[in-house]
Amino acid sequence: AACLIGSRALGGVGAALSETAALTTVSSLPWQGTHLAKALAGVEVVVGIGSAVGSGVGGALYASCGTAAAAFLLPCSALAAACAISALPMLILLPRAAPEQQTTASTVAAT
């Protein structure tokens, strides 16, 4: 039971850190006004859908396995594949900032 509680706590910390990183990344892009609002709303929609659907899909993948090792590897592999598949459309569809809008660490440190 302690292992289950620990893994759930670790999962919660990981989820909190990843959502914070996603929101920080989107907020640091040079979008303004409605573009920023749409981007932040998009992140929250994806997080909500993942929270609603993820447990059921993960449970179904876990239940479909015959061994304990496969029960762990199949959901993790499915998640890794989904991330890899979604990376290409994101690279194509996300706007790129103009060079004059990008800031570097030295520019930020100087101000």
Side-chain angles (χ1 to χ4, degrees):
C3 184
L4 178 62
I5 292 170
S7 65
R8 292 293 293 173
L10 186 62
V13 169
L17 291 174
S18 66
E19 185 171 354
T20 302
L23 292 174
T24 302
T25 301
V26 170
S27 297
S28 66
L29 294 173
W31 297 338
Q32 296 177 357
T34 58
H35 295 293
L36 178 60
K38 288 179 183 179
L40 292 172
V43 169
E44 290 301 322
V45 166
V46 170
V47 168
I49 291 171
S51 297
V53 176
S55 297
V57 171
L61 289 171
Y62 185 88
S64 69
C65 298
T67 64
F72 175 76
L73 290 176
L74 183 61
C76 291
S77 300
L79 178 61
C83 289
I85 291 169
S86 67
L88 184 61
M90 284 191 289
L91 290 173
I92 293 170
L93 296 175
L94 286 176
R96 289 179 172 60
E100 64 272 1
Q101 292 177 331
Q102 295 177 346
T103 59
T104 62
S106 61
T107 307
V108 173
T111 57

